[in-house]
Amino acid sequence: MENSINIDSILELKDVSVSYTPGKLAVNEVNAYFKPQTITAIMGPSGCGKSTLLRAINRMHELYPDIVTTGEILLKGQNIFKMNPMKVRRLAGMVFQRANPFPTMSIYGNVLAGYKLNNISLSKTEKDEIVEHSLRSVNLWEEVKDSLNKKGTFLSGGQQQRLCIARALALKPELLLMDEPTSALDPISTARIEEMLVELKDQYTIIIVTHNMSQAARISDNSMFMYLGELVEFGTTKQMFTKPKDKRTEDYLTGAFG
Amino acid sequence: MKDKIFRASLFVAACLIIILTASIVYGLVSQSLDAFSNFGFGFITSSEWDSRNDVYSALPFIMGTLLTSVLALLFCIPFSLSVSLFNGEYFRGHRASTILSSVVDLLAGVPSIVFGLWGFYTLRPLMVEMGVNEQGFGVLLSSIVLAIMIIPYASSLSAEFLAMVPNDLKEGAYSLGATRLEVIQRVSLPAAGSGIFAAYVLAFGRALGETMAVTMLIGNTNNIPHGLGDTGNTMASIIANQFGEAGGLKLSSLMAIGLLLFLITASINFIAKYIMKMVRQ
Amino acid sequence: MKKSFTSTTRFRLAKSSFFFYLVCGFSLVTLIPLFLILWELIRKGYAQFNPSLFTEVAPTSMEAMLAHISGAPIPGGILNGITGTILILSLAILFAIPLGITTGVYLAEKQDKPVARLVRSLSDLLQGIPSIVIGVIVYIWVVKPMSSYSALAGSVALAIMMLPMVIRSTEESLKMLPTSLKEAGLALGGSYATVVLRILLPSAFSGLFTGSLLAISRVMGETAPLLVTVLGATTVNWDITRPVSAASLLIWEFYNDPNLAGLIWSTSLLLLLIILGINLCAKSIAKRWKIQ
């Protein structure tokens, strides 16, 4: 199982393509690999396929029968398309653009939602431990510890998004996929989440889709630039922002389009 | 000038609706006074219906109505819930759901009396065969037909509320590794819960007031039904059955039953509408 | 913890797909009654489906019995029922649609004014009243004072049942129009009445039309309120102050008279086909309208 080729990559994409309608590729033969405990930012103008690529990694596209994904995605050396989709999704936690705490569950219940949905029974102490630990890792514990039984939807936008991150972390995933997690938030909430992501890097591998270049520059180790479904450039963030190899990347970073 | 007349006529039309409703309530109340003053509170609590001695009461029919409607609701749940999941969750926006929902909608168009005929000629012999009772008439037969009649009401509204559950929520649950069933159980149904509940309350209200089919199938006996095989009468069916030959105190008693039926269905509908209003906000 | 993940996963997936097939199964079963009903009506009713069904009045019990004894098909038709239904429905449409549309316009214009909110709730209340209760009320209002059952009484009952549906569909189709439409009309100097009558109502026409069609199809098969208001008649009658028959009432009469039972099926088939036809028609109009 661990006899993978590239021992220091946690995730490898091989010729990954995604199409919404037959013949039109939204993501075109992307190849990439991701090192553990790094933050990788995927950038690009809207409609370039960055979210589509991200959602291929936890097989989210399979919820919609018209979407076809081809190629290979290796998670710790294992082809995810040969695994059970539910297991893939547990190993690759996802945070969405709009915070989506479950409205019928309390804050406490939301953090444990992954266990509840997977029908895993836990003892009361295990539950308390997971809730506290997950909320602490998103710096939300101090703010909500006295109102754990309130509905998650009562929180502010930024708090809701951190709750959703805690919900994903509670399942102890290998990867954290984030789809423009701060695009709907104010600058202060955004800053808090960015801060937190840098702290989380010690334990998790994070892939974050963002249209905010300065965000990518602030927090990511590596950056990918996508344009019209193609992966144009992939390298360290520092290198990409200082010496982009491709003309299109340079145009994007200097604000020529997007 | 023209505008004034126009605005006035709009207002008059609206007032006519108010007057119409008020007169319906007034009519029911004034006509049933006789029965209530004669029998007092006992009209609702006693179970005697005797035309020869001019003694009437509503209890057997209230019980008959509640029993058949509750049973109908229970029978319809597995089917209407399946239809609403089919249309609002599994096949939302697909051809299959368009076909299923239009056929189920057509079911709502079938007149009550045709349901009655079908129940009488097709289902009743089945009841006899199954040994429910000798004639086949009764509570079970009526509630099965009622259940079929209310499926469209329960399912189309529930499907609407299920379809309104935001996709982000469901994706959130899938991203945590849930199966489709688990997403339905833990996310979709709870999120659409109060709306679905309201849909069933509305369907229940429908069942309470159904007249012709029940009149043809329940057996028309003036007793409190005690089981599935028992015959009885509902509030609607006793009125349909006995109204033609009624006068005096009996007419007033039938009107009083009409008033009670009106009050029950109105409050049921009010509850359902109230829940739906809360949900939509 | 890892172990419990993998060992139960297959079971959970199996459970999920089992539930899916269960839902599909129950949904398909729900389709059966409609087709069973249609099949039963066609199987038993097609033989009686002949021109005389539309040209002759319903036979008496005696005529039917004699025909039955001699082995001939039951003579006569349901002309009195068809004309009665047409008479009652036309009157009901005459009462309900103008009043319903006017009230609907009022509600769409006044939105949240107290009177509008009251009228909206009352319209919901009207919709929920069981048809038999409306029947007995109209009996008290119309039949008793006129001391005769009449087509008029029946049409009042059906009109009350149609009203909430017409009001609702008017209000909703008007609300779906962009506000700019009204503003544009007023900006061109049109009076309020002209804008509503010449611009808003015609723009919302297909919605109004669909709503009215559905309301008509909904009351067309009603039997209970007619039972206590129009009674029934053996001849064709166009006098609105006298009892008439109706298609649904004839079904009830045939059902109660074993000699006439043979006519139940053709009559029900005709009624059901017309109602389902109107329904489908209304749906297709609504669909085409939404796409535009």
Side-chain angles (χ1 to χ4, degrees):
Chain A
M1 175 173 153
E2 296 302 8
N3 58 350
S4 97
I5 323 116
N6 199 336
I7 206 79
D8 64 327
S9 91
I10 187 165
L11 179 74
E12 253 187 281
L13 311 181
K14 291 182 176 172
D15 296 332
V16 174
S17 298
V18 184
S19 65
Y20 290 93
T21 44
K24 278 182 84 178
L25 293 179
V27 168
N28 192 354
E29 299 198 341
V30 167
N31 285 284
Y33 67 93
F34 300 83
K35 286 192 183 138
Q37 292 164 11
T38 54
I39 297 180
T40 305
I42 309 181
M43 290 181 292
S46 48
C48 69
K50 50 192 193 302
S51 292
T52 309
L53 178 64
L54 190 78
R55 291 163 65 90
I57 298 170
N58 66 345
R59 295 178 63 175
M60 221 48 181
H61 292 315
E62 281 159 45
L63 301 179
Y64 308 95
D66 297 336
I67 307 178
V68 181
T69 311
T70 56
E72 258 181 51
I73 297 177
L74 304 178
L75 182 60
K76 289 178 87 182
Q78 270 190 301
N79 187 345
I80 62 159
F81 295 108
K82 290 188 178 141
M83 287 159 75
N84 185 310
M86 292 138 60
K87 190 176 173 200
V88 175
R89 290 177 195 145
R90 267 195 318 261
L91 293 175
M94 182 169 249
V95 177
F96 297 82
Q97 192 168 355
R98 268 182 39 206
N100 54 358
F102 299 125
T104 50
M105 299 180 193
S106 62
I107 293 173
Y108 190 88
N110 259 291
V111 177
L112 292 170
Y115 291 90
K116 206 172 163 191
L117 285 165
N118 287 292
N119 285 328
I120 298 163
S121 48
L122 298 169
S123 70
K124 180 80 175 86
T125 42
E126 279 177 306
K127 283 184 187 170
D128 290 346
E129 223 169 274
I130 292 170
V131 170
E132 180 170 350
H133 181 80
S134 310
L135 288 174
R136 274 192 195 285
S137 30
V138 298
N139 304 329
L140 194 60
W141 175 252
E142 292 301 326
E143 293 161 53
V144 300
K145 65 178 178 197
D146 299 321
S147 46
L148 289 174
N149 289 321
K150 276 196 186 159
K151 294 261 185 279
T153 38
F154 282 121
L155 298 173
S156 75
Q159 289 175 320
Q160 285 192 16
Q161 192 60 295
R162 277 185 278 152
L163 176 62
C164 291
I165 298 172
R167 181 176 72 187
L169 294 181
L171 278 173
K172 305 191 172 62
E174 301 282 346
L175 266 181
L176 196 55
L177 308 173
M178 310 188 91
D179 191 356
E180 306 197 22
T182 59
S183 65
L185 300 180
D186 59 276
I188 296 172
S189 308
T190 302
R192 295 202 62 176
I193 287 184
E194 287 179 4
E195 225 171 85
M196 178 197 88
L197 290 181
V198 175
E199 286 168 24
L200 286 175
K201 196 172 75 171
D202 294 342
Q203 297 168 60
Y204 300 96
T205 310
I206 298 170
I207 303 176
I208 179 169
V209 164
T210 177
H211 60 226
N212 181 339
M213 279 178 275
S214 54
Q215 180 170 61
R218 279 195 299 271
I219 62 171
S220 68
D221 304 295
N222 298 311
S223 289
M224 297 170 82
F225 174 68
M226 289 184 72
Y227 185 61
L228 297 177
E230 268 179 68
L231 177 58
V232 172
E233 193 165 340
F234 182 24
T236 64
T237 304
K238 208 173 188 182
Q239 177 251 318
M240 189 181 289
F241 274 85
T242 48
K243 273 192 221 124
K245 287 181 204 145
D246 197 286
K247 178 81 173 60
R248 288 169 291 181
T249 317
E250 195 181 335
D251 285 349
Y252 178 71
L253 292 174
T254 54
F257 58 81
Chain B
M1 187 58 207
K2 192 177 155 199
D3 266 10
K4 256 190 185 156
I5 297 173
F6 182 68
R7 278 174 202 276
S9 57
L10 291 187
F11 186 69
V12 168
C15 289
L16 275 176
I17 302 296
I18 300 176
I19 294 169
L20 177 68
T21 322
S23 355
I24 288 178
V25 176
Y26 172 78
L28 283 171
V29 171
S30 65
Q31 292 296 320
S32 46
L33 278 181
D34 221 11
F36 281 117
S37 62
N38 248 291
F39 304 116
F41 199 65
F43 186 71
I44 301 175
T45 53
S46 100
S47 58
E48 225 175 321
W49 185 274
D50 186 350
S51 297
R52 257 171 301 165
N53 297 321
D54 233 13
V55 178
Y56 307 103
S57 65
L59 188 65
F61 316 116
I62 297 176
M63 297 307 282
T65 304
L66 291 181
L67 184 59
T68 47
S69 303
V70 168
L71 280 173
L73 198 62
L74 290 180
F75 293 153
C76 100
I77 285 175
F79 300 97
S80 52
L81 204 59
S82 295
V83 171
S84 51
L85 283 171
F86 191 100
N87 288 331
E89 170 76 35
Y90 285 112
F91 291 93
R92 171 157 57 134
H94 282 245
R95 250 187 100 81
S97 105
T98 320
I99 295 171
L100 180 69
S101 64
S102 23
V103 174
V104 172
D105 275 355
L106 284 184
L107 202 58
V110 176
S112 183
I113 192 164
V114 174
F115 271 112
L117 289 176
W118 183 67
F120 181 84
Y121 285 99
T122 309
L123 290 185
R124 193 178 55 88
L126 282 179
M127 295 288 126
V128 177
E129 239 169 75
M130 279 164 54
V132 175
N133 57 28
E134 267 168 43
Q135 298 257 297
F137 291 115
V139 170
L140 182 63
L141 180 60
S142 331
S143 25
I144 290 174
V145 173
L146 270 181
I148 299 173
M149 295 177 75
I150 61 175
I151 284 174
Y153 298 99
S155 65
S156 66
L157 211 54
S158 312
E160 249 173 66
F161 283 107
L162 275 173
M164 268 161 53
V165 175
N167 232 351
D168 333 4
L169 278 188
K170 289 188 236 168
E171 286 189 352
Y174 282 117
S175 79
L176 296 169
T179 62
R180 188 128 202 193
L181 171 62
E182 286 152 1
V183 173
I184 291 172
Q185 278 179 322
R186 312 268 188 199
V187 178
S188 300
L189 285 181
S194 0
I196 294 177
F197 180 74
Y200 281 90
V201 174
L202 269 187
F204 182 68
R206 281 270 155 191
L208 292 174
E210 259 312 321
T211 314
M212 285 325 280
V214 179
T215 308
M216 293 160 82
L217 303 174
I218 197 163
N220 306 115
T221 53
N222 305 327
N223 54 291
I224 298 178
H226 290 288
L228 291 178
D230 266 9
T231 55
N233 248 331
T234 65
M235 302 167 85
S237 76
I238 185 80
I239 301 174
N241 242 310
Q242 313 243 328
F243 198 80
E245 51 199 71
L249 195 53
K250 188 174 182 183
L251 181 66
S252 174
S253 302
L254 289 173
M255 295 300 290
I257 291 175
L259 175 66
L260 292 174
L261 180 58
F262 169 80
L263 291 176
I264 295 173
T265 49
S267 28
I268 290 283
N269 283 322
F270 177 76
I271 294 170
K273 291 270 153 67
Y274 183 75
I275 298 171
M276 281 197 307
K277 210 173 149 192
M278 300 310 282
V279 173
R280 291 220 159 101
Q281 269 168 4
Chain C
M1 219 152 54
K2 277 264 144 68
K3 203 182 74 205
S4 70
F5 273 155
T6 38
S7 64
T8 57
T9 302
R10 199 169 294 168
F11 174 65
R12 286 165 52 207
L13 272 174
K15 217 165 69 172
S16 181
S17 53
F18 173 74
F19 184 75
F20 171 70
Y21 289 115
L22 200 70
V23 162
C24 291
F26 271 108
S27 299
L28 287 179
V29 171
T30 312
L31 298 177
I32 295 175
L34 182 72
F35 292 110
L36 277 184
I37 290 172
L38 270 172
W39 167 240
E40 176 114 346
L41 295 188
I42 292 169
R43 190 169 58 97
K44 295 182 175 169
Y46 84 97
Q48 285 281 346
F49 226 81
N50 48 33
S52 67
L53 192 69
F54 304 95
T55 54
E56 289 174 37
V57 297
T60 62
S61 186
M62 187 61 114
E63 286 166 352
M65 193 177 71
L66 291 176
H68 190 72
I69 290 168
S70 64
I74 302 174
I78 53 168
L79 182 65
N80 50 338
I82 296 174
T83 54
T85 295
I86 292 174
L87 180 65
I88 297 169
L89 265 184
S90 331
L91 271 178
I93 291 169
L94 217 60
F95 294 141
I97 290 186
L99 179 57
I101 289 182
T102 328
T103 312
V105 172
Y106 180 82
L107 292 186
E109 290 296 309
K110 296 293 176 196
Q111 308 266 5
D112 262 351
K113 290 269 168 56
V115 179
R117 274 159 67 176
L118 174 67
V119 171
R120 204 172 287 123
S121 319
L122 291 183
S123 160
D124 282 350
L125 181 74
L126 280 179
Q127 178 133 46
I129 304 180
S131 58
I132 184 76
V133 174
I134 292 180
V136 297
I137 274 294
V138 174
Y139 173 86
I140 299 296
W141 284 351
V142 184
V143 177
K144 248 186 161 177
M146 286 172 58
S147 56
S148 162
Y149 291 95
S150 65
L152 179 69
S155 61
V156 171
L158 296 193
I160 296 176
M161 296 181 66
M162 286 171 70
L163 260 178
M165 289 184 257
V166 179
I167 293 175
R168 165 69 30 121
S169 67
T170 308
E171 188 190 355
E172 294 204 332
S173 29
L174 282 177
K175 272 188 182 163
M176 273 164 66
L177 299 176
T179 39
S180 59
L181 204 60
K182 185 173 149 194
E183 285 163 5
L186 291 172
L188 289 172
S191 71
Y192 180 70
T194 326
V195 170
V196 171
L197 293 175
R198 294 282 166 80
I199 298 178
L200 296 187
L201 281 181
S203 311
F205 179 75
S206 16
L208 295 180
F209 190 64
T210 312
S212 306
L213 273 186
L214 283 178
I216 292 167
S217 85
R218 199 46 58 82
V219 299
M220 197 174 208
E222 274 300 336
T223 317
L226 298 188
L227 214 56
V228 295
T229 51
V230 302
L231 193 66
T234 52
T235 54
V236 173
N237 166 34
W238 292 105
D239 183 351
I240 61 167
T241 60
R242 286 181 31 221
V244 292
S245 191
S248 54
L249 275 180
L250 280 180
I251 300 175
W252 176 245
E253 278 168 28
F254 298 155
Y255 166 79
N256 283 310
D257 188 336
N259 288 324
L260 292 168
L263 277 169
I264 288 178
W265 307 105
S266 49
T267 315
S268 305
L269 182 60
L270 180 68
L271 187 64
L272 188 61
L273 287 181
I274 293 175
I275 290 174
L276 295 189
I278 296 179
N279 254 301
L280 287 174
C281 198
K283 294 264 160 61
S284 74
I285 293 172
K287 211 165 140 196
R288 205 174 311 156
W289 178 53
K290 259 182 198 156
I291 290 165
Q292 277 173 358

